[in-house]
Each structure stands twice: as C-alpha cells, then as structure tokens.
Amino acid sequence: MVVLARVKLLSANRKVVRGAEGLWIYRLLTRVEPEVYGSKLAYVLVEESASPLVRDLPERRPALLDEAVEVAQALGESNPHRAKVLARALAARQREGAVRQANSASDGRESRVPLEEERRQRA
C-alpha cells in the first residue's frame, strides 16, 4: 500500500495532491514518515473541510479539522512547516466552532458562512 501511495504521489506531478486521493495518500504515508508527510496531510485536511463535498456534511468538518490539528501538533518542533500548518488548522477549527455556535444560536436555519480566507489561499 505504501508503494502504491508513493507511485500515485509521484505520478500526480503536483506539489500537493488534493481531494480524496490526497487524503488517502497522505494519511497512509504519514503513518510511515510523519515528519515528511504530516504537514501535507494537515494542509489537505483543512482544505477538504471547506470543500463543496463536505459543506453539506456539518458533522464531518469538525472531524477533519480535529484530525488536522492533531497531525500538525504531532510534528516535531524542528519541522519547518509545523508552525504554519498548525496555525492554519487551529484557525480553521476556531472558525468552524464560531460558525457552529452561530448556527445553534440562530432560529434553526442553517447559515452558510463562506470561508473567504480558505478560498483566497486556494487561489
């Protein structure tokens, strides 16, 4: 499985593989080499939490963001990407918490709060 994940990663010919395929690849490779692939996993988890596919699954977003924070925190202090991906994951989780709190305080209608910062980062 690790070899297959590495082949898919190399054949993608991109800096970061996104989407479900990226999640599969980075989750698997992070188990083997967490310092190498953990920051990319955290990045893709945060990105996927704001994707249109997950937007309609509100219970899934916090799970992805919690996983992103957990992965980023597990990176070693010497990892050059740790601070950036951890800050990004924590900020996304905090925004998600604020949205959930606002939604629960509303009159029962779900409000869709765009994550403009996430959209700008993807552009």
Side-chain angles (χ1 to χ4, degrees):
M1 293 300 287
V2 171
V3 172
L4 177 61
R6 286 187 174 147
V7 167
K8 285 187 174 285
L9 185 63
L10 290 172
S11 66
N13 199 24
R14 285 181 268 157
K15 195 172 186 177
V16 177
V17 179
R18 293 173 166 80
E21 182 178 41
L23 285 176
W24 177 80
I25 290 170
Y26 296 126
R27 279 178 173 149
L28 183 64
L29 294 178
T30 297
R31 290 184 202 155
V32 179
E33 295 181 78
E35 290 300 315
V36 176
Y37 297 104
S39 59
K40 288 187 179 184
L41 174 58
Y43 179 88
V44 173
L45 285 163
V46 170
E47 192 173 73
E48 283 303 300
S49 74
S51 78
L53 295 173
V54 179
R55 195 171 293 135
D56 295 330
L57 302 169
E59 68 282 351
R60 187 77 175 119
R61 287 191 309 261
L64 290 170
L65 294 172
D66 288 344
E67 184 181 354
V69 169
E70 196 175 299
V71 169
Q73 287 174 333
L75 294 172
E77 295 287 332
S78 62
N79 188 307
H81 305 290
R82 182 184 193 273
K84 184 177 180 179
V85 296
L86 181 56
R88 186 171 185 260
L90 288 169
R93 188 168 71 176
Q94 184 176 10
R95 278 192 307 275
E96 176 63 25
V99 168
R100 287 179 152 269
Q101 189 173 26
N103 286 342
S104 67
S106 71
D107 60 353
R109 292 174 298 161
E110 182 179 342
S111 64
R112 305 234 182 225
V113 178
L115 299 175
E116 292 302 324
E117 183 179 332
E118 290 298 322
R119 290 181 183 165
R120 280 192 301 250
Q121 287 180 352
R122 278 191 262 154

